[in-house]
Amino acid sequence: MSEFLVFFLHGLAYAGLLFLVSAGLTLVFGMMNVLNFAHAAMYMLGAYFSYTIVMQLTGQFWMSLMICPVILFVIGAVVERFLLRRVHRYGHVQELLLTFGLAYIITELVKWYWGNYPLAINVTGFLNGTVSIFGIIYPMYRIFIFVCAILVGGVMALVLYKTRLGIILRAAVNDSEMTNTLGVNVPLVFMGVFAFGAALSGFAGVIAGPLLSTFPGMAQEILLDAFVVIVVGGFGSLGGAILASLIIGELQSFGVLLFPKLSMALVYLLMAAVLIIKPSGLFGEES
Amino acid sequence: MLEVKGVHSYYGKSHILHGVSLELKEGELVCLLGRNGVGKSTTLKSIMGVVRPAAGSVRFRGQELCGKEPYKIARLGLGYVPEDRRIFRSLTVHENLLMGIKSGRQSAEGEAWSVEKVYRLFPRLEERKNNKGGHLSGGEQQMLTVVRTLMGNPRLILVDEPTEGLAPLIVKDVLEMLITVRQSGVTVLMVEQNFNAAIKVADRFYIMSKGAIVFSGNREELMAAEEVRKNYLEV
């Protein structure tokens, strides 16, 4: 019983991380129709910046949790304004190639500056502790990840469904050209959304650092799972990203426990099943 | 009020508009006629900036529009009602209307458009205010598309095939709505395939063929020009 609980909690923690990575990815795709291959590379940058801030400069994990998203926000805004926007008129394939190239460049820069080996980020104090849940001792940090995901998801849902900005964002997901002709500065909205997506991926990277190891392959590792999340949840859907993150997180976790040999395949089997039954994803709009 | 001069537009490599020129005076309701694929919708899109003209000029109240982003053109007082009723499907009717509001824009003259005014004039939309846009009927969607654009209090609206695919009874509703809009002081440039609908509501007509204007005149002139109608309109 307690073994199940541990794996369930592991699943929740991974689901939280997956959500933080995929929320930005799905929002950017839903609105701009750009599948951002560099998203996971930005997540990795978040983790490496965090390494420098925590392990080399300040020793404060909280500090990097605040600073890294801001740095990534700026990087995201610059990438959108000066690269993506110029390529936009040539079509989606070119946009895809741009983000693909960007992912490679970031990965190589990371190897060059930080080295091609794993780095450890240690958290101290409260987050390094444990909690007792139904008689089992569980690391506080994993609970913290899940709480962060709930907070971020909650704030995003509030903005999307309770504010004027949210109406504009959802309208742009439906039809960005129409939104533009109604007098909304859509290029600015795109830049903001792309920058926010990058900031969120940076935040996720900071969170992932102490949990998984920080190494140049970490982007690839999470990218596939994040893609599965947005396909299963439905492109552009926040609700879909939440549900799909939970499903994939738990599936990964229990897969290892119950079918160790199949655990890698389970996620893709699920994706195939969803694509066959409802090609637009669980929460996707039929088009 | 609107002056389009020698506009050339492309979709990718195909040359759609070959020097379109037309003019609208304040308060007019003008209809752009012509067969399928002659560039009527592209003309509206080129005015609105959705398609960027490669050459030519579009002036609105003395300001050049060519090369501007659609949102800037919209903020100058143009409204665009596209074909295919592009409402925001996952937004409610109410939210669709809110999307039309442009901050700080007053109406040309008279009472400004507001959510309350829309609900008063079109009670059917109020009944459905919390429904998702995607769940409305075709006629309701068409009305919503038009009033959503009116919410921004435009001086001029470009309306693309408002009666396409609607039942005859609803066609009448939509046309009456456009007449109401025009009476409220808004200038209208409309693209229409349905000649019988157009002839009833418009003051002046332009006919397009192969990406250029081939006829311009009022109702009497159009009715008299039998050759023109035979060559460019009737199938």
Side-chain angles (χ1 to χ4, degrees), chain A residues 34-280:
Chain A
V34 177
L35 193 51
N36 181 12
F37 273 96
H39 193 78
M42 290 175 176
Y43 150 90
M44 178 166 72
L45 266 186
Y48 274 98
F49 283 140
S50 176
Y51 172 82
T52 298
I53 292 170
V54 178
M55 306 305 284
Q56 297 177 327
L57 297 175
T58 67
Q60 297 289 321
F61 181 70
W62 297 105
M63 195 77 102
S64 91
L65 208 53
M66 313 255 242
I67 296 173
C68 290
V70 176
I71 301 175
L72 267 298
F73 185 92
V74 174
I75 292 176
V78 169
V79 166
E80 200 284 334
R81 179 65 187 82
F82 295 104
L83 298 175
L84 209 50
R85 194 177 295 184
R86 293 186 182 194
V87 174
H88 179 71
R89 60 196 166 109
Y90 298 109
H92 294 318
V93 177
Q94 278 76 358
E95 288 174 317
L96 212 63
L97 283 173
L98 175 79
T99 66
F100 213 77
L102 212 57
Y104 274 111
I105 292 170
I106 292 174
T107 306
E108 290 308 310
L109 283 177
V110 162
K111 284 182 193 164
W112 169 70
Y113 185 77
W114 281 282
N116 195 1
Y117 43 81
L119 298 169
I121 299 171
N122 302 318
V123 285
T124 49
F126 162 73
L127 283 179
N128 199 24
T130 56
V131 275
S132 170
I133 302 167
F134 297 117
I136 59 161
I137 306 293
Y138 197 75
M140 181 55 119
Y141 192 76
R142 287 174 186 252
I143 304 289
F144 167 74
I145 294 176
F146 191 65
V147 172
C148 280
I150 290 175
L151 288 177
V152 167
V155 169
M156 282 176 75
L158 266 180
V159 170
L160 276 175
Y161 291 97
K162 294 288 170 210
T163 66
R164 162 113 181 128
L165 176 64
I167 297 178
I168 290 173
L169 292 173
R170 282 182 293 134
V173 168
N174 265 198
D175 190 337
S176 61
E177 190 179 272
M178 193 61 229
T179 308
N180 197 335
T181 67
L182 287 172
V184 173
N185 187 344
V186 169
L188 184 67
V189 171
F190 277 2
M191 188 170 89
V193 166
F194 196 83
F196 174 75
L200 209 53
S201 72
F203 183 76
V206 175
I207 300 255
L211 179 73
L212 315 165
S213 80
T214 302
F215 67 108
M218 69 185 290
Q220 293 293 324
E221 218 173 53
I222 199 125
L223 187 65
L224 277 175
D225 278 354
F227 277 165
V228 174
V229 165
I230 67 173
V231 169
V232 168
F235 287 103
S237 163
L238 184 67
I242 293 172
L243 184 61
S245 296
L246 284 170
I247 294 172
I248 308 289
E250 292 298 344
L251 203 62
Q252 288 277 33
S253 184
F254 281 101
V256 172
L257 177 69
L258 301 173
F259 319 99
K261 285 182 180 153
L262 262 179
S263 71
M264 292 295 281
L266 277 178
V267 169
Y268 301 102
L269 286 175
L270 172 78
M271 180 166 78
V274 168
L275 284 176
I276 290 166
I277 298 161
K278 195 166 183 297
S280 59

Side-chain angles (χ1 to χ4, degrees), chain A residues 164 170 174-175 180 183, chain B residues 71 75 86 89-90 95 98:
Chain A
R164 162 113 181 128
R170 282 182 293 134
N174 265 198
D175 190 337
N180 197 335
Chain B
Y71 76 91
R75 287 176 185 178
R86 279 159 60 181
R89 304 178 61 80
S90 62
E95 287 171 334
L98 294 181

